[in-house]
Amino acid sequence: MRDVAIVGVGMTRFGELWETSLRDLFVQAASDALHSARADHLEAVFIGNMSAGQFVGQEHLGPLLVDHLGMVGVAAGRVESACASGGLALRTAFVEVASGMSDLVMAAGVEKMTDTADVTEVLATASDQELEAYHGITFPGLYAMIARAHMEKHGTTEEDLSWVSVKNHRHGALNPKAQFPAEVTLEAVMRSSMVADPLRLLHCSPVSDGAAAVLLCPLDQAKQYTDRPVRIRASGLATGTMALADRKDIAVLDAVQRSAQRAFTMAGLTPADMHLAEVHDCFAIAEICCVEALGLVAPGTGKSAARTGETALGGRIPVNTSGGLKAKGHPVGATGIAQAIELVEQLRGEAGARQVRGARIGLAQNMGGSGASSVVHIFEGS
Ligand code: COA
């Protein structure tokens, strides 16, 4: 396998972008990525997207989106793994370059969620239809059950959940591309309206539109495109059971553990080598479970990591410096690529007010559904 680097990035603002269509969101992000690498051609494009068919009635995204990019003929296709679609698109592009199949490849992600009133139902199609969705449960409900299990097992409190939101909004306030670039107080989180007990509005990621794109090439060709390539050291992909009912312990995200183990083994690194991480905080409890499953904190200690500042900017292992899904937004198919972009900017020293000083190695973890799929990538700056 060849070593692979990210050499260009592009991303729209995330939010309720009424004025911009799905195709225009993609074209904005993809053009910016090409421009940032001074590249005028591509060999392949992999587009992470959960459900454009249900959100905006559009399937067959590969040819449509490269046509609108002005690149008819380029190999292109959609990649799907629910909210981990972006992460899976990145892995697919990584393998395409590492294998020697192509030399310049785009991994992109796009989702336009705010055009439909049925967002919750569309998202619920990524849960087990027979065991979960048909009975009326939605993603906030599934994560609420995970939260209750974590509370029961580890004594996690509503206040612990709320500190995750306070931290991520504090980070998001420093990110001009975030959907909610504003701080929130602990009291505001704890008094926000109840969505699925114990999860309140400000414990949830929002419904978002947005797109993100990165360009990959072999590391030994990277200098053609940028002075500051970021190497992808490893990619780990894993699955777990779809239905929570089939898990031994729903407070443990075993697909996240497996994907992390695979990535750490491939990189020859350990969680202690990470300088920062972007993790899948679709709900506050998800960040707590993910930092534990990734080994960034000891099992059962995730509940206090945001409150003590361990996972905040300036802390031992800053998590979700972008604002995470909570504050930056969660256009589901784009999220995995946006996480990679935060890592690239951090490892290049270009993250401005969010910069983690001395950051050289970091990981991104993107998750589908209630943890049934997980992708971890490890990045290293040059
Ligand atoms: N965080 C902060 N503010 C939010 C928000 C969020 N997650 N969601 C909505 N808001 C704000 C809106 O901007 C709006 O503010 P305004 O009145 O100042 O304009 C207000 O709250 C009400 O928004 P609305 O769209 O009516 O909220 P809603 O009740 O329809 O939806 C949720 C709120 C939490 C149910 C929705 O955001 C949601 O379903 N999130 C989870 C998405 C999800 O499951 N993703 C997949 C994960 S696996």
Side-chain angles (χ1 to χ4, degrees):
M1 277 178 46
R2 301 188 292 183
D3 288 338
V4 179
I6 294 183
V7 293
V9 299
M11 181 178 156
T12 66
R13 186 171 71 79
F14 283 2
E16 280 191 57
L17 308 176
W18 295 102
E19 69 289 358
T20 317
S21 67
L22 176 102
R23 63 189 68 185
D24 288 343
L25 288 171
F26 169 80
V27 169
Q28 256 181 46
S31 308
D32 286 353
L34 287 163
H35 183 73
S36 73
R38 303 180 300 273
D40 58 4
H41 72 288
L42 280 173
E43 286 165 56
V45 183
F46 298 100
I47 302 150
N49 174 264
M50 175 181 158
S51 204
Q54 295 186 86
F55 285 130
V56 294
Q58 180 67 63
E59 296 285 12
H60 214 176
L61 294 187
L64 177 85
L65 296 181
V66 290
D67 181 5
H68 281 272
L69 188 59
M71 290 197 172
V72 172
V74 166
R78 168 173 163 244
V79 175
E80 189 276 322
S81 189
C83 303
S85 299
L88 187 58
L90 179 60
R91 177 180 166 92
T92 309
F94 170 73
V95 172
E96 176 97 359
V97 175
S99 67
M101 183 82 88
S102 301
D103 281 345
L104 191 60
V105 176
M106 177 176 285
V110 62
E111 208 78 58
K112 183 95 178 85
M113 300 168 75
T114 66
D115 284 357
T116 174
D118 300 328
V119 180
T120 304
E121 287 74 18
V122 174
L123 288 168
T125 62
S127 63
D128 187 311
Q129 293 301 291
E130 293 183 15
L131 295 179
E132 293 173 333
Y134 287 174
H135 302 280
I137 194 138
T138 59
F139 274 111
L142 289 167
Y143 277 96
M145 291 199 285
I146 293 175
R148 281 285 168 220
H150 205 278
M151 288 168 148
E152 188 69 26
K153 187 173 171 189
H154 297 297
T156 308
T157 63
E158 274 195 51
E159 193 174 311
D160 293 328
L161 297 175
S162 304
W163 276 112
V164 174
S165 306
V166 171
K167 169 184 72 72
N168 289 349
H169 270 274
R170 200 174 284 157
H171 294 170
L174 306 173
N175 184 351
K177 295 210 164 146
Q179 180 163 356
F180 294 115
E183 297 198 18
V184 294
T185 62
L186 184 69
E187 295 68 34
V189 179
M190 293 195 65
R191 281 205 220 107
S192 60
S193 48
M194 189 61 83
V195 174
D197 191 3
L199 300 179
R200 296 173 180 273
L201 179 76
L202 290 175
H203 296 134
C204 303
S205 61
V207 171
S208 317
D209 305 323
V214 294
L215 278 188
L216 280 65
C217 77
L219 184 62
D220 61 10
Q221 297 175 26
K223 292 287 174 185
Q224 293 173 36
Y225 303 105
T226 178
D227 295 335
R228 278 180 284 189
V230 169
R231 182 177 162 205
I232 302 178
R233 284 280 302 259
S235 175
L237 171 66
T239 55
T241 71
M242 280 282 272
L244 292 191
D246 289 332
R247 295 186 194 166
K248 262 203 296 264
D249 178 353
I250 65 170
V252 175
L253 296 172
D254 57 5
V256 180
Q257 287 179 333
R258 283 187 204 108
S259 59
Q261 277 157 9
R262 286 171 192 166
F264 287 130
T265 301
M266 182 173 179
L269 295 168
T270 70
D273 296 315
M274 300 300 112
H275 298 147
L276 77 161
E278 287 286 299
V279 314
H280 198 97
D281 60 322
C282 50
F283 298 93
I285 185 62
E287 176 168 315
I288 292 174
C289 293
C290 286
V291 292
E292 291 178 355
L294 291 164
L296 298 175
V297 304
T301 66
K303 62 179 182 183
S304 57
R307 177 165 41 83
T308 60
E310 191 180 7
T311 49
L313 266 170
R316 180 181 65 78
I317 171 76
V319 170
N320 286 329
T321 54
S322 66
L325 285 51
K326 173 66 209 77
K328 182 183 55 192
H330 183 27
V332 286
T335 283
I337 304 294
Q339 292 178 322
I341 291 177
E342 177 69 10
L343 266 299
V344 169
E345 291 180 350
Q346 288 282 357
L347 300 177
R348 284 175 164 177
E350 293 172 353
R354 309 191 305 283
Q355 184 63 48
V356 175
R357 262 195 276 153
R360 210 172 46 77
I361 300 182
L363 75 73
Q365 179 264 333
N366 187 201
M367 187 157 74
S370 51
S373 61
S374 176
V375 196
V376 170
H377 286 98
I378 297 176
F379 304 88
E380 182 172 16
S382 46

